């Protein structure tokens, strides 16, 4: 990001700070509005203090085709409670009033954005303080219509790569990648199997041959120990379904949040952060 | 033609029909989708593959299906001369096998050993289970729990054919949920598994590939009507859920200016009630299941559940080529309600001795509404794309008959 019109974004600053501190980062995923907007916002506001280095906020969608049961149910809970895309953007804006530094990446499927209107969405997301977008069902071949206006608004389009992404394909995927690279460590949906450290380390090395962007590893990371293992093989570890499961444990049959929800989710984030903070210095190779 | 030289050249190399179509899938699936495309392009250019496909169409499916003059229906309605393209006479009872046969040959060619499919009414599931049995491949069919309940005979058929039927309870437990679950399974099983999509939707190359396998319907109809009448038909009519039978009939005629085409969508309890699955009539463009197309959705881009008495039409999307044909105006899209389809179902049974599936009963309902106003030399071809055996329980319940 060294074009004259580009300022250094929060994502870039955060990864630079992590490198400086000699450790890898923790990326947390939760679905916006799960199980209701108020609880979700309270968790969101508590994440930086609990140790989340970057925040992924899921855009609820009726048909989350790449997600396992935990995140499917999270989407359903949020939608049942009335969460909309504009409601999600306003949550980010409220979060930004108390935190100018922690990057927020919206993650979801393309249809809600397309229906919102790409130009309008990019303008509103930028104004709300969104730093990046991960759109699961928008491969590079289809991404220009979102990527170009997003980049113009200073929002990175972050791409996923998978074990099935061979070197030829990596070159295509990473050509326009921004922010960081999200390595999906298993061939599967969220919240299912876990990969081995050796496989992940090899994959991350392969990605690094194609890009200088930081690499975050996700899918199947459930414990502080796994978070440390994966984070130390990359620049950051993403924890999603396990956090969503933790949250879901405090949601009653009728969808309302129990009294301990916010504190318990944040204390789990603290445990994960403690794990990740033990990651060794990786040097400044990249 | 109006501004376009041809309506038959799509999709482009990225699978787009105008702004529709494309490949909106998770990156994990992209390499596989590209592999399917490469393999399909090779296969259809290979005369041996084409010959093999045609041989099975003839000797296993029973093609060509007749083009039948529905004489009594024609007299009853008192207008246009009505022909049925009898794809309900195919092995397994619908047009679905034209496609499953083509794709199973492709899957075998690709060395895949496990087939997954989604199904709504169960017709595609049965057609998939059938070819898997024939070619000795493992078969897993994802089916909404609600659909399993209302299509028990087809569930039993699939099991009899050796398929595993996986109930999907997410969402409303219908076709779109089954498709989500099939995609989730595919992401996790890409090495050995081929996803056999049943309609002209999904990521490229599926809409194009399924259309080409189904185009046998229109190619035959073209030859048959020329033989019977010495000229092309004036109007083609077919029901549209995902739209594979309709595109199969329409596509070979798209560049024949004098041939009008009508796709009939399910209006359920009435388009005005919101309880329908008429995505081209009452939906908006969006992105779902790998392609951009018209969808039933709310203002926030959340997909709505469709409703139709015909489980095979009960899908909130439609094939992307239909979206493009709608916008260009080349094909007209109309609707028929549950009640109108049931009336057509009864009438056709009684006066033609053909029990239609509830899906083509929608096309028939439209024909019943318009044929009487047309001159007697107006040639109309309707795609009778499925037989109604599977629907007798549903129809009995709707008509208030206890079995």
């Amino acid at each position: 990001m060294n074009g004259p019109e580009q300022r250094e974004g929060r994502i870039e600053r955060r990864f630079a700070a992590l490198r400086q501190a000699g450790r890898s980062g923790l990326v947390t995923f939760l679905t916006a509005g799960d199980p209701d907007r108020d609880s979700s916002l309270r968790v969101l506001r508590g994440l930086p203090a609990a140790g989340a280095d970057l925040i992924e906020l899921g855009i609820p969608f009726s048909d989350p085709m790449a997600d396992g049961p935990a995140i499917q149910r999270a989407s359903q809970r949020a939608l049942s409670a009335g969460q909309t895309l504009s409601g999600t953007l306003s949550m980010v804006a409220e979060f930004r009033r108390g935190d100018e530094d922690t990057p927020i990446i919206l993650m979801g499927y393309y249809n809600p954005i397309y229906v919102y209107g790409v130009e309008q969405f990019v303008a509103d997301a930028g104004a709300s303080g969104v730093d990046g977008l991960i759109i699961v069902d928008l491969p590079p071949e289809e991404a220009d219509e979102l990527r170009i206006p997003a980049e113009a608004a200073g929002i990175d389009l972050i791409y996923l790569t998978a074990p099935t992404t061979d070197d030829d394909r990596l070159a295509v995927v990473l050509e326009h990648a921004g922010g960081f690279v999200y390595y999906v460590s298993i061939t599967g949906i969220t919240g299912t199997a876990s990969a081995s450290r050796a496989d992940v380390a090899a994959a991350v090395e392969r990605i690094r041959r194609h890009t200088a962007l930081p690499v975050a590893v996700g899918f199947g990371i459930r414990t502080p120990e796994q978070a440390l293992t994966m984070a130390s093989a990359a620049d950051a570890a993403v924890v999603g379904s396990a956090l969503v499961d933790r949250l879901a444990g405090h949601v009653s049959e009728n969808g309302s949040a129990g009294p301990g929800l916010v504190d318990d989710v944040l204390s789990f984030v603290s445990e994960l952060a403690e794990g990740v903070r033990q990651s060794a210095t990786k040097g400044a190779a990249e | 033609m109006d501004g376009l030289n041809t309506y038959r050249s799509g999709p482009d190399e990225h699978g787009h029909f105008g702004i529709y179509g494309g490949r909106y899938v998770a990156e994990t699936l992209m390499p596989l989708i590209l592999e399917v495309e490469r393999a399909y392009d090779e296969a259809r250019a290979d005369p041996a593959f084409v010959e093999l496909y045609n041989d099975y169409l003839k000797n296993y499916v029973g093609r060509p299906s007749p083009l039948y003059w529905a004489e009594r229906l024609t007299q009853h309605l008192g207008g246009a001369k009505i022909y049925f393209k009898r794809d309900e006479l195919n092995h397994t009872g619908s047009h679905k096998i034209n496609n499953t046969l083509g794709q199973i040959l492709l899957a075998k060619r690709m060395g895949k050993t496990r087939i997954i499919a989604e199904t709504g009414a169960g017709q595609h599931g049965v057609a998939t289970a059938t070819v898997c049995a024939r070619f000795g491949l493992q078969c897993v069919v994802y089916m909404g729990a609600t659909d399993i309940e209302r299509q028990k005979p087809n569930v039993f058929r699939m099991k009899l054919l050796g398929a595993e039927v996986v109930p999907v309870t997410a969402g409303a437990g219908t076709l779109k949920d089954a498709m989500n679950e099939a995609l989730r399974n595919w992401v996790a099983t890409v090495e050995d598994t081929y996803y056999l999509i049943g309609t002209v939707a999904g990521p490229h190359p599926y809409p194009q590939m399924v259309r080409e396998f189904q185009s046998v319907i229109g190619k035959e109809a073209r030859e048959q009507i020329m033989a019977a009448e010495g000229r092309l038909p004036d109007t083609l009519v077919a029901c549209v859920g995902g739209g594979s039978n309709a595109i199969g009939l329409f596509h070979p005629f798209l560049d024949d200016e004098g041939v009008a085409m009508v796709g009939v969508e399910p209006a359920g309890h009435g388009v005005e009630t919101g309880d329908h699955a008429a995505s081209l009539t009452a939906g908006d463009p969006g992105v779902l299941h790998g392609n951009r197309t018209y969808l039933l959705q709310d203002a926030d881009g959340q997909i709505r559940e469709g409703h139709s008495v015909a489980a095979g039409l009960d899908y909130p999307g439609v094939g992307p080529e239909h979206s493009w044909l709608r916008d260009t105006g080349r094909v007209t899209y109309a609707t028929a309600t549950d009640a109108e389809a049931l009336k057509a179902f009864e009438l056709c049974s009684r006066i033609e001795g053909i029990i239609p599936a509830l899906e083509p009963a929608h096309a028939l309902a439209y024909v019943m509404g318009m044929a009487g106003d047309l001159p007697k030399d107006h040639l109309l071809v309707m795609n009778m794309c499925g037989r109604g055996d599977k629907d007798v329980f549903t129809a009995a319940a709707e008509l208030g008959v206890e079995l």
Side-chain angles (χ1 to χ4, degrees):
Chain A
M1 296 239 298
N2 44 22
E5 79 286 5
Q6 302 269 23
R7 61 187 163 73
E8 189 181 62
R10 291 187 194 93
I11 296 174
E12 199 179 355
R13 287 205 302 271
R14 179 52 51 98
F15 275 106
L18 287 169
R19 256 194 306 274
Q20 197 114 49
R23 68 174 177 90
S24 297
L26 172 66
V27 185
T28 58
F29 172 94
L30 285 160
T31 298
D34 175 25
D36 59 76
R37 191 174 186 282
D38 179 57
S39 309
S40 182
L41 184 59
R42 283 163 59 209
V43 173
L44 182 63
R45 283 179 158 152
L47 286 172
D53 296 302
L54 294 90
I55 295 171
E56 283 180 16
L57 196 56
I59 301 171
F61 184 47
S62 52
D63 293 80
M65 288 154 286
D67 283 299
I71 295 176
Q72 290 173 43
R73 286 193 291 265
S75 255
Q76 278 311 317
R77 287 192 296 267
L79 292 173
S80 299
Q83 190 72 14
T84 60
L85 182 49
S86 60
T88 298
L89 293 177
S90 75
M91 274 177 69
V92 177
E94 284 181 53
F95 170 85
R96 273 284 164 254
R97 277 181 224 136
D99 185 309
E100 249 309 309
D101 302 318
T102 310
I104 290 207
I105 295 113
L106 294 185
M107 182 166 185
Y109 297 80
Y110 188 44
N111 197 53
I113 291 171
Y114 177 67
V115 169
Y116 192 99
V118 168
E119 297 287 338
Q120 189 63 47
F121 170 76
V122 163
D124 293 353
S128 304
V130 170
D131 303 291
L133 299 171
I134 303 176
I135 309 301
V136 178
D137 57 351
L138 200 65
E141 284 85 347
E142 306 288 354
D144 280 359
E145 68 181 48
L146 177 62
R147 180 182 59 81
I148 292 165
E151 282 176 352
I155 298 173
D156 290 320
L157 199 53
I158 293 158
Y159 288 96
L160 302 165
T161 71
T164 51
T165 316
D166 64 17
D167 280 304
D168 289 348
R169 181 78 195 152
L170 266 180
V172 174
V173 173
L174 298 179
E175 186 185 354
H176 296 296
F180 60 90
V181 178
Y182 188 138
Y183 177 62
V184 173
S185 61
I186 55 158
T187 50
I189 53 178
T190 53
T192 52
S194 307
S196 77
R197 186 186 190 282
D199 285 351
V200 168
V204 170
E205 284 317 306
R206 197 159 64 84
I207 292 167
R208 289 200 204 287
R209 288 201 291 273
H210 290 266
T211 181
L213 292 172
V215 181
V217 177
F219 282 43
I221 302 174
R222 303 199 66 86
T223 65
E225 294 71 32
Q226 284 176 324
L228 171 60
T229 306
M230 291 305 169
S232 60
D235 298 292
V238 187
V239 181
S241 295
L243 266 176
V244 170
D245 279 340
R246 189 73 166 241
L247 180 149
H250 294 275
V251 180
S252 70
E253 281 284 309
N254 66 13
S256 59
L261 183 147
V262 175
D263 288 346
D264 189 43
V265 171
L266 293 175
S267 82
F268 186 34
V269 172
S270 301
E271 290 167 35
L272 292 163
E274 227 168 284
V276 168
R277 273 157 212 258
Q278 293 168 32
S279 54
T281 305
K282 298 190 303 332
E286 71 275 9
Chain B
M1 321 246 22
D2 240 336
L4 280 175
N5 292 323
T6 175
Y7 288 92
R8 303 181 68 227
S9 61
D12 69 16
E13 59 177 314
H14 297 296
H16 294 117
F17 301 90
I19 66 163
Y20 302 106
R23 273 185 287 237
Y24 295 86
V25 296
E27 186 55 39
T28 312
L29 285 181
M30 273 305 283
L32 192 65
I33 300 265
L34 295 169
E35 187 196 339
V36 170
E37 185 189 3
R38 266 192 307 274
Y40 172 61
D41 283 343
E42 279 171 26
R44 67 185 174 131
D46 178 355
F49 179 84
V50 175
E51 195 183 322
L52 191 64
Y53 174 60
N54 288 334
D55 184 69
Y56 279 105
L57 279 184
K58 179 167 178 244
N59 296 308
Y60 190 65
V61 176
R63 301 207 73 94
S65 70
L67 184 73
Y68 160 76
W69 175 32
E71 187 177 3
R72 290 196 70 212
L73 183 69
T74 299
Q75 283 163 4
H76 179 83
L77 298 175
K81 186 169 185 182
I82 299 163
Y83 283 89
F84 291 162
K85 179 61 175 160
R86 303 278 314 267
D87 257 54
E88 102 280 12
L89 292 176
N90 293 339
H91 180 42
T92 74
S94 81
H95 70 292
K96 291 292 185 187
I97 197 158
N98 303 330
N99 168 49
T100 59
L101 178 64
Q103 287 197 55
I104 203 86
L105 293 174
L106 180 66
K108 270 199 84 87
R109 197 181 157 101
M110 292 174 73
K112 301 293 179 184
T113 54
R114 179 174 175 271
I115 303 295
I116 57 171
E118 82 296 335
T119 197
Q123 291 302 86
H124 173 58
V126 168
T128 303
T130 298
V131 294
C132 286
R134 172 60 186 80
F135 291 94
L137 297 179
Q138 188 193 347
C139 181
V140 180
V141 178
Y142 292 87
M143 187 169 185
T146 308
D147 287 337
I148 286 181
E149 200 44 50
R150 57 179 172 174
Q151 301 288 341
K152 282 181 186 153
N154 272 344
V155 175
F156 178 66
R157 273 184 200 111
M158 287 184 268
K159 289 181 176 168
L160 200 58
L161 291 159
E164 178 192 350
V165 180
V166 180
V168 178
T169 52
T174 58
L175 182 54
K176 92 172 164 84
D177 310 298
M179 200 151 177
N180 289 336
E181 213 52 44
L183 282 164
R184 287 182 189 119
N185 180 273
W186 203 23
V187 171
T189 58
V190 288
E191 286 298 321
D192 65 343
T193 298
Y194 180 90
Y195 182 15
L196 206 163
I197 295 182
T199 191
V200 283
H204 180 64
Y206 284 96
Q208 177 190 9
M209 174 164 64
V210 177
R211 176 194 78 199
E212 290 186 15
F213 288 134
Q214 291 296 358
S215 289
V216 65
I217 300 170
K219 286 177 198 155
E220 286 175 6
R222 201 184 162 89
E223 281 178 24
Q224 290 165 323
I225 194 85
M226 290 303 289
E229 298 282 349
R231 68 175 181 93
L232 293 177
D234 297 297
T235 304
L236 306 175
V237 182
C239 63
V240 175
S244 70
N245 91 84
I247 212 85
L249 176 64
F250 296 169
H251 194 261
F253 294 95
L254 282 175
D255 286 343
D256 297 301
E257 250 178 292
V259 182
M261 301 177 196
V262 184
V264 184
E265 293 195 292
H269 297 139
V271 170
E272 70 289 348
T273 65
D275 240 357
H276 61 83
S279 33
L280 291 166
T281 303
D284 297 291
V287 173
L288 180 72
H289 292 154
N291 64 114
R292 177 162 16 208
T293 191
Y294 278 85
L295 299 172
L296 299 180
Q297 53 184 327
D298 68 15
D300 193 45
Q302 308 298 335
I303 310 305
R304 290 177 31 212
E305 296 292 341
H307 163 78
S308 171
V309 69
L313 303 181
D314 195 348
Y315 178 64
V318 63
E321 192 166 9
H322 283 292
S323 294
W324 180 74
L325 290 168
R326 172 202 186 276
D327 284 6
T328 58
R330 178 62 186 95
V331 177
T332 304
Y333 293 89
T335 62
T337 63
D338 288 355
E340 289 164 339
L342 283 160
K343 228 173 110 187
F345 177 86
E346 285 187 284
L347 180 78
C348 188
S349 302
R350 202 162 299 148
I351 71 172
E352 285 294 346
I354 295 171
I355 302 175
L358 286 171
E359 289 80 13
H362 285 72
L364 194 58
Y366 175 80
V367 170
M368 283 165 57
M370 51 84 87
D373 299 331
L374 294 168
K376 288 190 170 17
D377 62 353
H378 188 102
L379 298 180
L380 189 151
V381 176
M382 193 209 95
N383 198 4
M384 182 60 76
C385 63
R387 70 175 84 125
D389 308 38
K390 71 181 173 65
D391 291 318
V392 292
F393 296 103
T394 306
E398 294 282 336
L399 298 169
V401 178
E402 250 184 73
L403 295 179

